[in-house]
């Protein structure tokens, strides 16, 4: 773990950044390629630690995956040809890998054991193991299936009608991936719309799926066929530079290749509500997901209220939105965001503790936080809690502080954005 000193001296930011591949779509491109029969080619793949954990798991299942930078080729003859792994499947820091793999492996014909890092071992898995068990899955994990390590004995699954108790795309996706390999029609009812990359990719790989309002139906036993996937840039990574461009002095940043799937664009709604100078240009592209260019300039910001069905559309962006709010005039209230407590770390505590160290006026609530701005920020020694998004929030904060900010573990940022500091340094003028 290396301590990184960030001594930027309130710079101006100018230039253009091509946003690297979306983490959620990159994971799914490997999973779908492994399940499908035939060849899948992926363009714009995010080579981050989390996505490499997914590739590593499928390598242990005997799937042929060739990685050449952002290009990946997967050759598979389908799930029935995977080999039983002779090693434990290690999912690293990745909740998406852990939860979606549980759904996929539950309906396979092999036995396997999944384990993740220290953070994953504390994250709740019952939200996935519970519905999978209702489908007939044979799963054994710590605390009655709540935590990894979890052992999976693949078996024949039956369809379910499941009303989701939490708004979680990982839970929805785990059930849909299990449903693909089960008997009958599975119906998932969402509380609130969460990211729909799984539904979009199911269609892209040839499955029939019905989505009406928040009800998703999928007939089991459908075969997927290998496809070409163009991964859009990750709006959750772009979010750090959107906030940077809005709060740094005399700045203008052009962010290209940004995925604009509307289940993910809550950050754009928030920036607009706060009065940011932001333009959006959608572009024709070869992806099955929408892509565009965002231009952000230094902005006069006002506080806003963020809650309800907006939360799943920006859940990963809340740490950096909290930073944004420290530079906005008035009060920003973030509510209905209790899911933050079960992310890579408890992000309500982490954001409040770390922004307070820099002088922010921020208070935690049961389901979010309240920020009063604008406050000048000063330097401080910050902890990342081993959480990539807390680390990047701290680095963006350092652009507006009048002292040095240090972060304790810059390596954790590679989970989602390995080139983050290179991209940041390129736009500092
Ligand atoms: C993800 C879903 C979200 C998000 C995570 C990625 C996905 O998690 O926070 O970073 O790829 O499906 P939840 O499903 O737990 O909300």
């Amino acid at each position: 773990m290396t301590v990184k000193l960030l001594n930027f001296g309130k710079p101006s930011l100018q230039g253009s950044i091509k946003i690297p591949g979306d983490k959620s779509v990159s994971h799914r491109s490997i999973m779908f390629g492994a399940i499908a029969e035939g060849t899948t080619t992926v363009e714009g793949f995010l080579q981050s630690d989390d996505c490499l954990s997914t590739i590593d798991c499928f390598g242990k299942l005997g799937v042929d995956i060739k990685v050449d930078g952002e290009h990946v080729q997967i050759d598979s003859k389908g799930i029935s040809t995977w080999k039983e792994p002779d090693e434990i499947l290690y999912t690293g820091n990745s909740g998406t890998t852990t939860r979606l793999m549980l759904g996929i492996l539950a309906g396979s014909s092999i036995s396997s054991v999944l384990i993740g890092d220290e953070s994953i071992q504390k994250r709740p898995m019952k939200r996935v193991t519970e519905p999978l068990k209702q489908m007939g899955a044979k799963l054994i994990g710590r605390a009655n299936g709540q935590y990894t390590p979890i052992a999976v004995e693949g078996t024949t699954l039956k369809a379910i009608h499941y009303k989701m108790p939490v708004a979680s795309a990982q839970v929805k996706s785990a059930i849909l991936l299990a449903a693909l390999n089960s008997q009958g029609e599975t119906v998932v009812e969402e509380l609130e719309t969460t990211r729909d990359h799984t539904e979009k990719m199911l269609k892209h790989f040839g499955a029939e799926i019905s989505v009406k309002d928040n009800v998703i139906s999928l007939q089991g036993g459908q075969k997927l066929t290998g496809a070409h996937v163009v991964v859009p840039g990750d709006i959750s990574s772009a979010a750090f530079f959107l906030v940077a461009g809005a709060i740094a002095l005399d700045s203008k940043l052009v962010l290209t290749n940004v995925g604009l799937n509307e289940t993910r664009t809550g950050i754009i709604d928030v920036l607009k509500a706060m009065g940011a100078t932001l333009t959006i240009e959608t572009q024709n592209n070869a992806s099955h997901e929408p892509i565009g260019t965002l231009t952000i300039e230094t902005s006069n910001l006002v506080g806003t209220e963020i809650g309800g069905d907006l939360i799943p559309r920006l859940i990963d962006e809340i740490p950096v939105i909290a930073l944004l709010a420290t530079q906005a005039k008035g009060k920003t209230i973030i509510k209905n965001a209790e899911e933050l407590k079960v992310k890579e770390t408890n992000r309500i505590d982490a954001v409040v503790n770390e922004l307070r160290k820099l002088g922010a006026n921020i208070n935690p609530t049961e389901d979010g936080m309240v920020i009063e701005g604008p406050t000048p920020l000063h330097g401080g020694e910050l902890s990342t809690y081993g959480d990539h998004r807390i680390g990047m929030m701290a680095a963006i904060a350092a652009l507006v502080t009048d002292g040095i900010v240090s972060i304790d573990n810059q390596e954790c940022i590679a989970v989602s954005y390995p080139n983050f500091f290179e991209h940041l340094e390129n736009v500092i003028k």
Side-chain angles (χ1 to χ4, degrees):
M1 290 204 297
T2 345
V3 173
K4 187 165 176 86
L5 296 181
L6 305 158
N7 186 9
F8 296 132
K10 296 196 182 179
S12 152
L13 306 178
Q14 301 290 335
S16 168
I17 301 170
K18 183 177 180 219
I19 299 299
D22 187 277
K23 183 157 77 71
S24 294
V25 178
S26 294
H27 281 302
R28 286 162 174 80
S29 69
I30 302 302
M31 293 172 178
F32 277 75
I35 295 168
E37 290 177 25
T39 299
T40 291
T41 44
V42 186
E43 208 179 302
F45 179 77
L46 173 71
Q47 258 200 311
S48 74
D49 288 354
D50 263 12
C51 299
L52 294 175
S53 292
T54 294
I55 289 190
D56 186 59
C57 288
F58 282 102
K60 287 179 179 151
L61 293 166
V63 180
D64 180 6
I65 306 178
K66 293 181 196 75
V67 185
D68 177 11
E70 292 184 353
H71 296 271
V72 182
Q73 179 169 326
I74 306 142
D75 289 289
S76 178
K77 294 199 173 73
I79 199 163
S80 62
T81 63
W82 295 355
K83 90 172 171 56
E84 199 158 66
D86 41 27
E87 281 174 83
I88 288 174
L89 303 178
Y90 181 67
T91 60
N93 191 245
S94 175
T96 305
T97 312
T98 313
R99 296 194 175 116
L100 273 57
M101 290 295 296
L102 285 171
I104 296 170
L105 290 165
S108 72
S109 53
I110 56 186
S111 297
S112 51
V113 178
L114 271 86
I115 194 168
D117 69 3
E118 237 178 87
S119 154
I120 281 293
Q121 287 173 44
K122 292 190 201 119
R123 295 184 67 187
M125 294 298 150
K126 219 175 206 164
R127 50 180 59 200
V128 174
T129 57
E130 191 86 23
L132 292 176
K133 280 181 186 172
Q134 287 176 30
M135 297 175 84
K138 293 183 183 165
L139 307 166
I140 300 175
R142 270 191 307 132
N144 199 20
Q146 177 65 298
Y147 301 113
T148 63
I150 295 177
V152 187
E153 192 187 333
T155 189
T156 308
L157 302 178
K158 55 181 190 304
I160 48 166
H161 188 134
Y162 193 67
K163 285 190 184 165
M164 303 245 308
V166 282
S168 163
Q170 291 178 354
V171 176
K172 171 178 67 176
S173 301
I175 298 170
L176 290 176
L177 288 164
L180 201 57
N181 217 6
S182 70
Q183 294 166 347
E185 188 187 47
T186 288
V187 178
V188 181
E189 284 185 47
E190 288 202 273
L191 266 179
E192 273 150 2
T193 310
T194 61
R195 64 189 68 193
D196 65 355
H197 303 301
T198 299
E199 295 91 309
K200 283 198 162 54
M201 212 177 269
L202 276 163
K203 283 188 194 146
H204 190 63
F205 277 75
E208 270 181 39
I209 175 168
S210 140
V211 183
K212 284 196 192 97
D213 299 321
N214 281 354
V215 182
I216 304 146
S217 315
L218 181 74
Q219 186 65 42
Q222 299 188 58
K223 292 263 174 280
L224 302 183
T225 313
H228 180 61
V229 179
V230 177
V231 179
D234 200 326
I235 192 165
S236 298
S237 298
F240 294 99
F241 290 104
L242 287 171
V243 170
I247 65 176
L249 290 174
D250 301 325
S251 298
K252 182 173 180 179
L253 290 178
V254 179
L255 310 176
T256 64
N257 190 42
V258 184
L260 294 176
N261 177 320
E262 66 180 33
T263 62
R264 298 283 302 281
T265 49
I267 176 83
I268 292 178
D269 296 5
V270 166
L271 281 161
K272 282 185 185 161
M274 294 177 86
T277 310
L278 171 70
T279 59
I280 306 155
E281 223 181 292
T282 47
Q283 72 198 44
N284 285 334
N285 71 85
S287 177
H288 66 295
E289 297 258 356
I291 296 179
T293 296
L294 304 178
T295 304
I296 184 84
E297 292 176 55
T298 307
S299 305
N300 280 324
L301 301 163
V302 290
T304 188
E305 196 169 309
I306 303 167
D309 56 12
L310 186 53
I311 294 295
R313 297 179 54 235
L314 48 66
I315 187 72
D316 292 340
E317 287 66 81
I318 291 176
V320 80
I321 287 173
L323 167 66
L324 180 73
T326 68
Q327 302 308 298
K329 189 164 179 250
K331 196 181 270 188
T332 294
I333 300 171
I334 301 174
K335 60 181 188 183
N336 312 125
E338 46 280 275
E339 275 295 300
L340 290 175
K341 295 179 185 168
V342 291
K343 292 296 175 190
E344 284 80 336
T345 188
N346 178 333
R347 285 186 178 158
I348 295 182
D349 290 352
V351 167
V352 169
N353 292 344
E354 300 318 293
L355 286 177
R356 271 184 182 165
K357 286 186 193 165
L358 303 182
N361 181 350
I362 178 168
N363 287 301
T365 60
E366 250 321 292
D367 63 351
M369 55 196 89
V370 177
I371 305 120
E372 189 87 46
T375 3
L377 299 181
H378 48 73
E381 287 178 20
L382 300 194
S383 168
T384 61
Y385 302 75
D387 182 333
H388 53 134
R389 300 203 197 276
I390 303 297
M392 287 186 275
M393 176 208 70
I396 299 301
L399 294 167
V400 294
T401 57
D402 50 21
I404 299 174
V405 172
S406 70
I407 58 171
D408 65 346
N409 174 2
Q410 65 159 317
E411 291 84 355
C412 68
I413 290 172
V415 150
S416 65
Y417 202 158
N419 297 331
F420 172 74
F421 281 114
E422 187 191 317
H423 287 182
L424 180 58
E425 276 146 27
N426 280 343
V427 293
I428 290 180
K429 299 298 160 204

